[in-house]
Amino acid sequence: MHPKPISSASAKSTSTHYRTVISTGRHDLVADEPALHGGQDAGPAPYDYLLASLGACTAMTLQMYAERKGWDVGEIRVDLELSKSEDTGTSIRRVLATSNPLSDEQWARLLDVAGKTPVTKSLLAGIAITSRRGP
C-alpha cells in the first residue's frame, strides 16, 4: 500500500542566479542564497525554510496543547539555530519562550511536547528521499 501524501510542493529555478520559486497549496514562496554565496538574497535560503518549518510546527503544536490544558501562555516564540560541524554533524538548537509566565511543571511539559511535534519526529527519525526523472 502506497503511503498517503500529507504535503506537496514544487520548486522551479528562475533565470536569476539561485532564485527559486516554490509553490505549495495556494502559496508561492521564493528561496534564494545570500549574496555572500552568489545569490541575490531575494528570499530565505533552504536551511532557513527547514528551520521555519520546525519553528512553525513547534509553536502551533504547543499552542494547541496549551489550549487543551486551559493554560494562558500568551505568545509562544521559538528561536532556532542550525549548526554543522565535522565533529558533531548537523544540529539544531531550539529555545522556547512564552509571553506569560509558566510554572516549572508547565515548562517541563511544554519542553516534552516540543520534542514530540510532527516535524521534530520526522527530522529525528530521518526521512527516506527518492529521486526519479520526470516528464
Side-chain angles (χ1 to χ4, degrees):
M1 183 171 177
H2 192 59
K4 179 183 173 192
I6 61 169
S7 183
S8 65
S10 177
K12 184 177 175 184
S13 65
T14 66
S15 59
T16 304
H17 205 233
Y18 300 134
R19 182 184 173 113
T20 302
V21 176
I22 303 160
S23 297
T24 181
R26 297 179 302 130
H27 308 283
D28 290 327
L29 311 166
V30 173
D32 199 357
E33 288 291 336
L36 179 67
H37 294 118
Q40 303 296 311
D41 200 22
Y47 275 125
D48 298 332
Y49 276 114
L50 178 71
L51 291 180
S53 173
L54 178 60
C57 183
T58 302
M60 289 177 195
T61 302
L62 294 181
Q63 183 179 17
M64 287 178 210
Y65 182 82
E67 287 173 358
R68 281 197 309 270
K69 291 291 192 177
W71 299 348
D72 183 10
V73 299
E75 291 180 356
I76 298 170
R77 192 177 81 229
V78 182
D79 294 326
L80 299 139
E81 183 177 88
L82 185 139
S83 300
K84 293 185 109 178
S85 163
E86 285 186 25
D87 297 335
T88 59
T90 304
S91 63
I92 296 174
R93 181 182 59 83
R94 174 170 48 191
V95 178
L96 308 176
T98 59
S99 60
N100 289 345
L102 301 175
S103 70
D104 289 342
E105 293 80 19
Q106 288 172 314
W107 269 114
R109 191 64 195 124
L110 287 183
L111 290 167
D112 182 56
V113 171
K116 298 175 183 173
T117 68
V119 172
T120 298
K121 288 169 68 173
S122 293
L123 290 172
L124 290 173
I127 299 173
I129 300 173
T130 61
S131 301
R132 67 176 174 84
R133 180 180 172 178

